[in-house]
Amino acid sequence: MVRNGHLTLPRGAVAIALLCSAGVGLALSAPAYAAKVGVAAAVNPDAFSSLSGVPNKQLNIGKSIFYNERIETTAQGLVQVLLVDGSTFTVGPNSNLVIDKFVYDPNKKTGELVATFSKGSMRFIGGKLSKNAGGVKVNTPSGALAIRGGMFQGNTQKKIYSFLYGHSMSMQGRNGRTQTVYQPGYTLDMSSGTGNVRPTTAEDTNVFMQALSSPATTTSSSSGGGGDSGSQNPNSTAQQSGQQADNVANAASDTISNVTTTQIQTEITKQLIRLEQLKTDPVPMPKVITPPPAIDNTETPTVVKTGGTFNGHASGFLQTGDNGSGEPISLYDGTANVKLDPKANTVTGAIQVNDHRGLTIVNWEPVPRQTTTFNLGFAGQAEAYIDDNTFLAFGNDGTSNVVRKTWNEEWVRTGRWPWQGHFEQSQNVENFSEVSHSGNLISIPGSVLCNECEFIKFGTWASDVTYGSNVDKMGGWWVAGNVVPEANIDKLQQLQASASYEGSAVGTVAKLKKGTWNQYIATGDMTLDWQFAKRSGDFSVKNFDNRNFGGKLVNAPGTSGFTGIVGHVNRNNLAKSIAGTANGSFVGFQGIDKTPKGVIGNFDVRQANDRWRANGIYAGAQR
C-alpha cells in the first residue's frame, strides 16, 4: 500500500520477498503457495492453462505456473515456461504439457521434475535438476524420455526427438526397449515404433523451426529458445548448443541457469507480494512491483538491437588426443572481435588465440618450441541476433587460418674439437589457410558477469580445427566492448586521475586427479584499483575455485590496454602457489577527460605443481 508517497509492504509480503531473494525454496517460504513451480515468461496470446475443475484461462507474461497445471496452445499459440531451477519448456502450437511433479532444493540443487508432453512440439533446456542422473523425465506418447545436463526438442506427430547438447538423452519405448543418444546433432526417430537413432536432417530442423518460432511472441527472458529460428543450415540448431566442447557447454548452461533462476524467483516474488497485499489493501499496487500487464494483441513488442562492433579478449583450453580428451593446453594472448548488425539481423565474429608448446633457449631467452596461431571466423545465421544480450554465431568453414612456427636448433662446429662451435636457430613456418573449422560463438546475458555493465558483451566460444595431421578441439570464454582510445588514457595520465573497478571473473578450471583431467566452471570476484598517473593498477581475483590471485598490471605508453604477471604464494604449501598472467582494456568511453565506465580482460593461471590450471575472463564497472 502507499502511504504519504511511500510504498509499504505487509510484513508477510516482506518475509516472502526476503526468503525468495535469499534462495530459499518456495515450498518452504510460503505454504499457501507451495504449488507454484514457475512462471510464463514468453506468451503468444493463443495459449491457455487450466487446473483440475477450473476452466481454461488465457496465459499472460508473469502468470504463475502451478503443479499439475495443464498448458495448452491453439494453432497460433506459443508459450515459454521457466521453472525455479532454471529449466525452460517452450511449447509450440497445438500442444499440451503438464508439470506432473516438481521438487527442488535450491541449497543442495537436488530434486525431481516429471512432465507429460502429450501433443505437439516442444523444446526443453535443462536447469539445475537436469545435472543429476534421473532428475528430469518427460512422458511422451512414444515413451518416457530422460535428459541429463542438456537440451532437446520433440514433436509427437512426427515422433522425433532431437538431442541438441548435454550428457545424454534416452527414451524407454512402449516395448520396454531403451535407446540413448550421446551425440548432439542426432535424433531419436520413433516413427517405426521400435526406435532408430539417426543424424538430424534438414526436415527435422524445419519441423521445429516452424513450430517453435513466432514473430508475435513476446518474451521477458532472453535465455533459452528462439535462437534457431530461420536457420538455413540443416544442423544449425544442434550447432548452436551442441558442437562446443563439453566443458564450455556445461559452463554456459550453468551460467544461464543462474540468471534464469533469479528472473523466475523475482517474478514469483512479485506475484506473491501482490496476492498478500490484496488481502488487506484493495487498491491496485504501483506499477513498479505489479506483474507485467496483459499483452496488447495489436502490437508486437520492440526488441532492443542497437548493434555495433566490439573488441576485447578471449581465453580457453586446447585438447588433442582421442576425441579431444588429451591434456588441456592453455591458449594465450586471446583476442575477440564481434560485430552485431540489427538491420541484417546477423552476427559475425573472430577469435584469435595462440598455443605455445614446449620451450627452447634462443639468444639466452626461453621461447616456445612451437607456436600455433588460430584465427577463427564465425558467422551468424538468420535470426542469430536475438537482442542486445542474446546472439550467436557458428563456425564458418573457409574463414579460418592457422600459422604454425617451429624452432629448430643445430650445433655448428667451427673448430677441430666438438665443443668448438655454436648453436644456430632457424624457424619453420607452416601456413594452413581455409582449414576445416566448426564451432560456435555464443553470448550470455551480461548481468551474470557484471550487473552494471550494459556496455560489454561476453559469452563462450568453441571450435574443432583440422589442419595437416592435427585435430585440435578448443573452447573458452570471450568478452568485448567499445575500447577506450589511447588519447583518453594519455589525457587521464596528465590529469593524474584514478579509478576503482569491481565486478566478476568467470572461467574454466582443468584439474588433474588420478591421471584424468577434469574441467568445470568457476567464478570469482574481481577488483582493479587503477592509477592513471602511474599507468598501473592493482588487480585481484578472489574466491575463484576457492583460490585468490592478483598482481600489478601496467599500461604501456601509446597503448590503451594493460598486462602483467599475477599469482599467489601459498606459504603452507609452495606446490599450490599460483602464477600466471592477466590482460585487459578500458571500455565505456565517457569523454577525453573522464575515467572509463569499466574494464574487461582475460587471465591464465596455474599452480606450481601443474595439477590445477584455469583461464577465463573478467569485467567490472567503476565504483
Side-chain angles (χ1 to χ4, degrees):
M1 65 191 72
V2 179
R3 293 192 179 97
N4 299 325
H6 296 280
L7 176 64
T8 304
L9 299 180
R11 284 180 295 176
V14 175
I16 292 171
L18 291 176
L19 285 172
C20 286
S21 65
V24 178
L26 293 174
L28 300 177
S29 63
Y33 311 111
K36 293 179 177 64
V37 298
V39 295
V43 179
N44 180 292
D46 293 325
F48 304 85
S49 68
S50 64
L51 289 167
S52 178
V54 179
N56 277 4
K57 290 186 178 181
Q58 183 169 319
L59 279 170
N60 293 318
I61 291 180
K63 181 196 177 299
S64 293
I65 301 300
F66 292 79
Y67 159 73
N68 209 29
E69 183 170 9
R70 182 178 300 277
I71 298 169
E72 294 182 291
T73 57
T74 67
Q76 300 299 320
L78 187 70
V79 60
Q80 184 181 79
V81 176
L82 302 181
L83 304 183
V84 295
D85 76 312
S87 299
T88 304
F89 283 96
T90 302
V91 183
N94 291 322
S95 300
N96 194 309
L97 175 72
V98 177
I99 308 297
D100 298 311
K101 182 179 181 180
F102 186 87
V103 180
Y104 177 55
D105 184 335
N107 296 319
K108 297 181 180 179
K109 299 178 182 179
T110 58
E112 184 180 11
L113 167 61
V114 180
T116 296
F117 170 53
S118 57
K119 183 180 71 171
S121 298
M122 65 157 287
R123 178 187 298 121
F124 174 80
I125 300 178
K128 296 292 191 300
L129 293 180
S130 73
K131 306 300 179 187
N132 308 320
V136 176
K137 184 173 76 171
V138 179
N139 295 311
T140 75
S142 299
L145 190 149
I147 185 77
R148 184 174 178 191
M151 174 177 174
F152 81 93
Q153 47 197 15
N155 179 276
T156 59
Q157 182 180 9
K158 297 288 186 179
K159 299 181 180 180
I160 55 174
Y161 302 88
S162 296
F163 185 46
L164 304 181
Y165 77 84
H167 180 275
S168 62
M169 179 186 75
S170 61
M171 176 178 284
Q172 183 177 14
R174 298 302 180 190
N175 58 4
R177 179 185 176 190
T178 299
Q179 297 209 63
T180 302
V181 182
Y182 294 100
Q183 181 67 37
Y186 280 75
T187 291
L188 180 57
D189 188 340
M190 301 296 292
S191 59
S192 64
T194 58
N196 174 43
V197 177
R198 58 170 175 75
T200 301
T201 66
E203 181 181 358
D204 299 333
T205 302
N206 192 50
V207 167
F208 298 116
M209 179 184 69
Q210 293 184 6
L212 298 174
S213 62
S214 170
T217 303
T218 60
T219 65
S220 64
S221 170
S222 59
S223 300
D228 58 331
S229 55
S231 174
Q232 303 301 314
N233 188 327
N235 292 318
S236 64
T237 307
Q239 284 178 316
Q240 291 172 15
S241 303
Q243 293 182 345
Q244 55 182 326
D246 286 343
N247 63 298
V248 177
N250 291 335
S253 178
D254 285 344
T255 308
I256 292 172
S257 293
N258 289 336
V259 179
T260 304
T261 301
T262 302
Q263 292 171 334
I264 296 165
Q265 292 188 346
T266 299
E267 290 300 324
I268 294 177
T269 300
K270 290 178 182 179
Q271 294 170 64
L272 294 177
I273 294 173
R274 169 67 169 159
L275 291 172
E276 185 71 20
Q277 181 161 7
L278 287 177
K279 294 178 182 179
T280 57
D281 186 1
V283 179
M285 297 282 284
K287 289 184 178 180
V288 292
I289 62 171
T290 53
I295 301 169
D296 182 356
N297 295 339
T298 63
E299 297 182 2
T300 300
T302 302
V303 177
V304 178
K305 296 182 180 180
T306 56
T309 299
F310 306 91
N311 297 294
H313 305 267
S315 68
F317 283 118
L318 176 150
Q319 287 182 284
T320 57
D322 185 20
N323 197 31
S325 60
E327 176 185 350
I329 301 168
S330 294
L331 296 169
Y332 293 81
D333 307 323
T335 61
N337 173 277
V338 179
K339 182 179 180 180
L340 309 178
D341 187 343
K343 292 184 178 179
N345 212 41
T346 59
V347 177
T348 55
I351 299 289
Q352 180 171 310
V353 288
N354 295 316
D355 155 33
H356 298 171
R357 302 190 196 185
L359 290 176
T360 186
I361 303 300
V362 177
N363 296 326
W364 303 100
E365 293 290 338
V367 299
R369 289 185 180 273
Q370 178 178 301
T371 300
T372 306
T373 300
F374 299 90
N375 200 337
L376 311 172
F378 299 86
Q381 305 291 328
E383 300 297 330
Y385 187 15
I386 301 167
D387 59 42
D388 270 357
N389 279 334
T390 311
F391 47 89
L392 42 91
F394 309 126
N396 194 15
D397 287 355
T399 66
S400 301
N401 189 56
V402 178
V403 177
R404 183 167 60 191
K405 298 179 181 179
T406 306
W407 283 100
N408 300 310
E409 295 178 318
E410 182 180 0
W411 177 259
V412 178
R413 196 167 76 176
T414 58
R416 293 181 56 187
W417 309 106
W419 56 84
Q420 291 178 314
H422 62 270
F423 277 108
E424 287 188 358
Q425 290 89 22
S426 62
Q427 191 180 74
N428 182 42
V429 179
E430 300 173 272
N431 195 320
F432 301 89
S433 60
E434 297 187 358
V435 300
S436 174
H437 155 62
S438 62
N440 50 43
L441 178 145
I442 301 177
S443 68
I444 299 174
S447 59
V448 181
L449 191 62
C450 182
N451 290 324
E452 301 176 6
C453 297
E454 74 284 352
F455 47 86
I456 70 163
K457 311 295 177 186
F458 85 103
T460 66
W461 68 276
S463 185
D464 296 346
V465 181
T466 303
Y467 61 102
S469 59
N470 293 59
V471 179
D472 290 338
K473 295 178 178 290
M474 62 191 80
W477 298 82
W478 62 269
V479 61
N482 293 314
V483 176
V484 170
E486 300 169 8
N488 179 234
I489 308 301
D490 294 337
K491 181 65 175 179
L492 292 172
Q493 181 190 18
Q494 297 172 13
L495 296 175
Q496 298 187 355
S498 63
S500 295
Y501 301 89
E502 62 182 14
S504 302
V506 60
T508 306
V509 173
K511 192 173 185 179
L512 182 62
K513 187 175 182 179
K514 296 181 179 180
T516 301
W517 285 97
N518 299 302
Q519 296 189 35
Y520 52 91
I521 184 177
T523 59
D525 303 316
M526 184 283 304
T527 60
L528 177 65
D529 295 317
W530 193 266
Q531 300 291 330
F532 288 93
K534 298 181 179 179
R535 288 188 176 272
S536 66
D538 295 320
F539 173 78
S540 173
V541 172
K542 295 183 178 180
N543 303 316
F544 185 87
D545 198 28
N546 296 318
R547 291 165 172 83
N548 303 326
F549 54 87
K552 183 77 71 176
L553 304 185
V554 178
N555 164 246
T559 67
S560 60
F562 46 84
T563 186
I565 296 174
V566 297
H568 173 74
V569 177
N570 188 328
R571 301 189 184 281
N572 296 322
N573 188 345
L574 292 178
K576 292 187 176 181
S577 295
I578 296 174
T581 60
N583 304 291
S585 300
F586 294 101
V587 291
F589 181 71
Q590 301 189 93
I592 191 64
D593 58 350
K594 304 286 187 181
T595 53
K597 289 183 180 180
V599 292
I600 60 174
N602 62 6
F603 61 89
D604 183 89
V605 292
R606 63 178 62 195
Q607 285 184 174
N609 60 11
D610 207 17
R611 300 179 64 86
W612 183 92
R613 307 172 183 177
N615 56 53
I617 57 173
Y618 65 86
Q622 188 173 162
R623 291 173 185 161

